[in-house]
Amino acid sequence: MSRSVRVRFAPSPTGLLHIGSAHTGLFNWLFARKEKGRFLLRIEDTDTARSRQEWVDAIYEVLEWMGMDWDEDVVYQSRRIERHVDRARHLVETGRAYRCYYLPEELEAKKKEALAEGRSWRNDRRYADITAAEAEALEAEGRKPVIRLKIPEGKTIFRDRILGEIEVGNETIDDFVIVRSNGTPLYHLAVVVDDVDMEVSHVIRGIDHVTNTTKHIHLFQALGAELPEFAHLPSILGEDKKKLSKRHGAASVSEYRDAGYLSDAVVNFLSLLGWQTGDDQEFFTRAELMERFSLDQVHKRDTVFDLRKFEWLNGQHIMALSNEELWTLAKPFLKREGLVGDRPSGSEKTDCHSERQTVDGNTSGQPEGQTDGRPKGKTAGHAYAMEVVALLRERCRTLADFAVQGRFFFTDDFDYNSKAVRKHWAKEPDAVSERIVWLRDEFAVLEVFDVEAVEGVIRDLSERHGLKAAQFIHPCRVALTGEMAGPSLFHLVAVLGKAVCVERLNRALDRLPDAIEQAAVNQG
């Protein structure tokens, strides 16, 4: 094809942007960027009953979040209805379409009759060549015509960029309606007229549109327009091999965004749905995708939306970010859970060299015990945040995980996991209490409270009492975090600081009996 590449993404604003629609938009965008072409956005908002401005705004928001910038002004299909109808009139005037006065019940009767006789029925064009006087008489009876496109005899053959050559016998295509009896254009006409006027060179869309393509080819030809090149993308299936939908979980891009998926990961993952890279590489930046993407590497087979792979890939993109970038992205999720807030004054990037508190220390700038939900004596200053992010980044698959797995870093308000209590406290409660006391007392007198010192305390206690280090580590983790797994205990203890650790060990001693009792109830 000699003309320049111009592709369009044409979502309907009838709901949040579905992951399948975003997939189609992404492949159009990648193709345009790879070929140094134009990526056009068209809002197909002619369904006035379902289209809403808030959905239009949501489309813009998601595309911007995904980094899918568009060229030229947005085209709103609803503002072009007069143009669509004008083109239909032109088709009637040139003999490529006709006004059909059949009543719906008459058509239904003819179809039933044909079905009873074991044959298919196509419009017999009874009204295709009537005179103006005959048309006037029919309209006087109250009949309002639709406009139908005349389908020629023969075959429709086209080469799909992905599927290869497709051939359809025209006898299987009825003279389809392009304008309703109320004068409004149908989808097929509007789409083709818009594609012609927007000079679209490639129509890249889902495979479910293949049956529409033969109709559209006839419209392009009837309008005397050059055919675009067609490419139909494979369907996206859930893991049950059924078409992806709400039943498979989140169905819109914004739901994944709100669940803590990175835009880079969404773009990366969607690009792999149907595109074969030719090697084992799966992690791609946008720049790499724009350089390597090719329609010729898109396969025909349906592709499966593997959520586990998506989570893994999101984790890889998390790991690719700096701690600074991660904190910026994760902070809204922590705020959502009430774990951090905006600092009342000053810059967040302050010198927080004294954030690890002594038992009596308090640098939060507030009276003792008033720390906005954060651990007593702690602030969510920049240095502290960087330490937390550094510990959590390898364990978090989504940004939301930072608020879940890191909750104990920002608040004392957490429960003891019943399974952890049963496994690490309930089997020998008296011995566990004694070990917690030993830990508390040793931590309290440490002058330097860092990873090496904390590890030294635990190793020394285990040797002194003839116990394994794990017999201190696991009960301590439950006391400090409420959980049975997480980042390195030595590191998280050092990050929490002496004041918080001593206080939480004291609290664990007070609550241990009740926690064991509650864990038993939960198990029952």
Side-chain angles (χ1 to χ4, degrees), residues 81-333:
I81 290 177
E82 290 186 9
R83 172 63 173 169
H84 303 149
V85 174
D86 175 74
R87 293 289 79 199
R89 292 195 196 100
H90 169 74
L91 292 175
V92 172
E93 291 167 359
T94 56
R96 302 303 299 268
Y98 61 94
R99 293 182 173 85
C100 179
Y101 288 88
Y102 270 123
L103 297 173
E105 54 268 29
E106 292 174 337
L107 286 175
E108 186 63 26
K110 288 182 175 292
K111 290 177 182 177
K112 286 183 177 179
E113 180 183 348
L115 182 63
E117 295 175 359
R119 56 183 175 85
S120 60
W121 188 82
R122 295 176 66 201
N123 195 288
D124 57 12
R125 300 182 183 174
R126 173 181 175 182
Y127 299 104
D129 299 311
I130 60 174
T131 64
E134 290 173 321
E136 186 176 342
L138 289 167
E139 291 179 21
E141 295 176 9
R143 293 179 182 247
K144 294 183 178 180
V146 298
I147 297 179
R148 292 179 179 274
L149 186 73
K150 284 183 179 178
I151 303 299
E153 298 299 319
K155 296 178 180 180
T156 302
I157 303 173
F158 69 98
R159 182 164 187 80
D160 187 275
R161 183 73 172 263
I162 297 169
L163 303 177
E165 186 173 289
I166 295 176
E167 179 179 312
V168 177
N170 289 354
E171 70 278 1
T172 64
I173 310 172
D174 196 6
D175 290 352
F176 59 94
V177 177
I178 56 175
V179 176
R180 299 180 182 89
S181 59
N182 64 5
T184 60
L186 269 81
Y187 164 80
H188 300 299
L189 176 67
V191 165
V192 172
V193 171
D194 288 347
D195 282 347
V196 172
D197 289 351
M198 294 170 70
E199 300 180 334
V200 171
S201 64
H202 295 73
V203 173
I204 305 169
R205 55 190 177 188
I207 199 169
D208 51 324
H209 283 283
V210 168
T211 54
N212 293 332
T213 298
T214 50
K215 294 180 178 180
H216 294 177
I217 287 173
H218 289 293
L219 272 166
F220 276 108
Q221 292 173 336
L223 290 167
E226 182 179 358
L227 285 178
E229 187 170 347
F230 294 97
H232 291 90
L233 307 174
S235 294
I236 303 176
L237 308 179
E239 293 187 48
D240 58 1
K241 302 303 172 60
K242 295 181 180 178
K243 192 169 182 179
L244 191 68
S245 68
K246 278 277 189 184
R247 69 175 177 274
H248 297 104
S252 69
V253 176
S254 56
E255 287 177 275
Y256 286 106
R257 177 197 61 196
D258 296 344
Y261 286 80
L262 300 173
S263 63
D264 288 345
V266 172
V267 168
N268 188 169
F269 179 68
L270 290 182
S271 72
L272 299 178
L273 295 180
W275 174 52
Q276 295 176 314
T277 63
D279 55 32
D280 295 329
Q281 183 176 346
E282 293 185 310
F283 182 97
F284 289 94
T285 64
R286 280 188 181 82
E288 288 175 319
L289 288 171
M290 287 188 285
E291 176 64 29
R292 291 193 55 182
F293 181 81
S294 170
L295 276 180
D296 296 326
Q297 292 177 311
V298 176
H299 57 67
K300 305 176 185 179
R301 303 185 306 277
D302 291 338
T303 185
V304 175
F305 189 96
D306 185 340
L307 184 57
R308 287 182 293 276
K309 182 175 181 180
F310 191 10
E311 290 174 348
W312 170 82
L313 195 56
N314 198 60
Q316 297 301 301
H317 279 274
I318 283 176
M319 288 298 296
L321 296 174
S322 68
N323 290 339
E324 195 82 57
E325 293 169 319
L326 272 179
W327 174 244
T328 299
L329 293 170
K331 191 174 181 181
F333 292 86

Side-chain angles (χ1 to χ4, degrees), residues 390-509:
L391 276 182
L392 293 176
R393 56 185 294 134
E394 292 186 6
R395 303 184 61 83
C396 294
R397 293 294 183 91
T398 70
L399 296 173
D401 286 345
F402 283 88
V404 176
Q405 298 195 37
R407 181 179 181 83
F408 64 87
F409 280 115
F410 300 98
T411 180
D412 295 312
D413 181 20
F414 58 82
D415 296 322
Y416 299 117
N417 181 303
S418 292
K419 186 176 179 180
V421 169
R422 288 194 297 271
K423 185 170 183 179
H424 298 302
W425 281 4
K427 293 178 181 179
E428 43 180 358
D430 292 338
V432 167
S433 294
E434 189 173 37
R435 291 168 203 157
I436 290 176
V437 169
W438 294 338
L439 284 169
R440 178 201 63 190
D441 293 346
E442 292 287 341
F443 284 170
V445 297
L446 280 177
E447 293 184 5
V448 177
F449 202 81
D450 58 17
V451 174
E452 291 75 16
V454 169
E455 183 174 4
V457 164
I458 292 177
R459 302 296 182 195
D460 181 65
L461 281 172
S462 62
E463 289 181 15
R464 194 188 316 165
H465 295 283
L467 298 169
K468 296 178 180 178
Q471 290 176 285
F472 287 93
I473 291 173
H474 296 311
C476 183
R477 182 186 296 279
V478 179
L480 298 180
T481 72
E483 298 297 334
M484 62 192 300
S488 157
L489 180 74
F490 308 135
H491 287 81
L492 74 85
V493 167
V495 170
L496 283 172
K498 185 196 295 188
V500 172
C501 290
V502 170
E503 183 175 340
R504 287 187 184 177
L505 290 172
N506 275 323
R507 185 181 69 167
L509 290 169

